[in-house]
Amino acid sequence: MRRRSFVTLGAAGVYSALAGCGRDKDGFNMRDAPKGPITLGFSQVGAEGGWRKANTASIKKAAERNRIDLNFKDAGGDPKKQIADVHSFIDAKVSVIAFAPVVETGWGEVLRRAREAKIPVVLTDRLIDEKDTSLWASSIGAEFAAEGNLAALYLENDYAGVKEPVNVVQILGVAGATPTKQRAEGFAATAAKGGRLKIIDEETGDWTKDGGKAAMARLLRRNKRIDAVFAQNDDMGLGAVIALEAAGKKPGKEPKIVTVDGTKAALEGLIQRKLNYVVECSPEIGEPLMTVVVDLFHGGRVQKNIRSEKAVFDPETAADEIDDRTY
Ligand code: AHR
C-alpha cells in the first residue's frame, strides 16, 4: 500500500486559481491586459540544483501544453541580470511577466515600469520585499516557514526523552532569498517552542551540493559535537553527507540530517538511511502558473496567493514514493 504523509497548514488549497472579472482588491485592472496570442516572459533563478531543474521543466512543459509562447531567461543566480531580463520582457511587450526572484530586494522600479506598460506580473516560487502589493497580480509557491516548522518538529519528536540539548547546525541557502529567511525562521520558532533543539552554528551552502559539502566541512571544523543538521534543501544535505563521510562520520546516525525539497536523489538518501527526514516543496508550478497567465490574459480575476500542498518523507514513505518521483 502506498503511504504518503500529506501536510496542509492552513493553505488555501492545491494550486487553485479563481477566475472572475474586473479589478483585483489591490487595484490591478485586469482588463488592461493585452489581447492576442499569449506571450509569457519568465525569468528563472538559475539551474542550481535538482529542484530548480524540475521547476524549469515544469514551466516549459506547461507553456507548451497550454500553447503559450514562452520567452525564458535564466538569471544564473545574478539579481542584476534578473532585473535586466525583466526589463527586456517589458521592451518585448510580452502579455504577462512571471519570475522566481533570486533575492527579495530591488524590484520596485522594474515592476512599476511593467505596470505603466500594463503588463501583469506573477511571482513564482518566492516572494519580493515591496510594500506595494498591487505590483503583482498573483504569487504561486510553497509555505517556506511551515517547511522549517516541520523540519524542527521532526527533530523535536525524534529526540523526545533526551535530557541534554540537541546540537543542531543549519546549512542555509543564498542570503536574501525568501526560502532562506523563512525556513530559518520557521525552524527557529519551532525549536524555541520545544526547547530541546539548540542551533549552535550555521553556514551558507548556496543551494548547491558542492556548497553544502563545503559548508558542512567548515561546520565540522568549528563544532565538536553536532547531533543534527538542518540543510535548507536536498542538494546541500546530500553535499553534507559527502563531507561527513569524508570526516569518518555516519550521516543519518550521527549526525541526523533533515532537508527540504523531496527530489528523487533525496528519497534515495532516505532509503539508504543517510538522510532522516525530508519535507517536500513542490517544484511543479508550471500548470498553476499557466492557468493564472491565461486568466490574466483574458481579463479574469486571479487568486492573489496560491500555495502548494506538501508531503513529508522518512525512509519508509520514501520507498513507497520513489518509483513515481519524476525529479
Ligand atoms: O525556492 C525554492 C528553493 O530554491 C528550493 O528549495 C531550492 O532547492 C532552490 O534552489
Side-chain angles (χ1 to χ4, degrees):
M1 198 180 69
R2 290 170 47 74
R3 283 166 298 166
R4 240 184 137 210
S5 321
F6 279 101
V7 190
T8 21
L9 293 158
V14 198
Y15 290 144
S16 60
L18 276 181
C21 280
R23 187 179 285 271
D24 78 3
K25 79 172 174 39
D26 293 298
F28 192 93
N29 189 345
M30 304 302 171
R31 292 200 180 283
D32 286 340
K35 306 278 179 285
I38 309 179
T39 325
L40 171 64
F42 185 85
S43 166
Q44 180 58 287
V45 169
E48 67 274 18
W51 189 99
R52 187 63 55 193
K53 287 173 194 155
N55 180 242
T56 293
S58 163
I59 287 157
K60 287 187 173 171
K61 192 171 157 202
E64 209 181 320
R65 213 180 73 83
N66 290 276
R67 296 189 171 49
I68 288 169
D69 187 4
L70 181 66
N71 181 349
F72 181 92
K73 289 195 191 284
D74 181 331
D78 178 350
K80 281 202 185 113
K81 177 182 183 311
Q82 188 169 44
I83 290 170
D85 287 346
V86 174
H87 275 293
S88 79
F89 295 149
I90 302 171
D91 297 338
K93 298 186 171 44
V94 298
S95 322
V96 179
I97 292 171
F99 63 97
V102 177
V103 293
E104 290 185 342
T105 50
W107 290 102
E109 190 198 330
V110 69
L111 295 193
R112 279 189 289 277
R113 210 187 139 217
R115 179 160 62 191
E116 274 157 33
K118 302 190 189 328
I119 302 175
V121 169
V122 182
L123 308 180
T124 68
D125 170 23
R126 302 172 176 184
L127 302 173
I128 59 171
D129 185 13
E130 283 298 329
K131 283 205 177 68
D132 182 358
T133 59
S134 71
L135 288 171
W136 61 98
S138 183
S139 113
I140 307 171
E143 295 174 304
F144 298 127
E147 293 164 354
N149 295 148
L150 289 166
L153 200 60
Y154 167 78
L155 289 172
E156 272 289 332
N157 290 336
D158 203 52
Y159 283 95
V162 173
K163 291 270 178 308
E164 319 84 75
V166 176
N167 285 352
V168 183
V169 296
Q170 188 170 199
I171 304 182
L172 302 159
V174 167
T178 318
T180 309
K181 288 161 67 175
Q182 293 189 356
R183 285 175 186 161
E185 283 163 13
F187 190 91
T190 299
K193 229 179 189 174
R196 192 170 280 120
L197 309 179
K198 191 172 162 206
I199 304 164
I200 56 164
D201 205 352
E202 61 187 30
E203 270 287 341
T204 181
D206 292 330
W207 301 123
T208 66
K209 197 168 181 178
D210 283 349
K213 182 178 159 200
M216 191 70 238
R218 290 194 294 274
L219 289 163
L220 280 168
R221 278 199 289 278
R222 288 206 297 268
N223 299 283
K224 254 195 150 153
R225 201 192 96 215
I226 299 173
D227 300 313
V229 178
F230 172 42
Q232 287 193 340
N233 81 350
D234 290 347
D235 287 285
M236 296 191 293
L238 293 165
V241 166
I242 299 170
L244 286 160
E245 285 178 336
K249 309 268 180 202
K250 292 238 169 328
K253 281 205 171 80
E254 236 188 285
K256 301 204 168 180
I257 307 183
V258 180
T259 70
V260 182
D261 275 355
T263 57
K264 195 165 195 146
L267 299 189
E268 274 156 10
L270 282 170
I271 293 165
Q272 292 164 8
R273 310 232 167 208
K274 293 183 178 187
L275 300 181
N276 300 80
Y277 197 67
V278 174
V279 181
E280 184 183 48
C281 172
S282 176
E284 293 181 330
I285 290 174
E287 280 300 332
L289 171 61
M290 299 315 151
T291 303
V292 167
V293 168
V294 171
D295 286 346
L296 285 171
F297 182 78
H298 292 293
R301 186 157 47 89
V302 297
Q303 196 170 299
K304 188 79 181 186
N305 291 299
I306 300 169
R307 296 293 142 228
S308 55
E309 273 189 359
K310 63 188 86 47
V312 289
F313 295 106
D314 62 13
E316 283 75 36
T317 50
D320 288 342
E321 177 65 21
I322 193 134
D323 291 340
D324 294 333
R325 190 97 327 195
T326 52
Y327 55 88

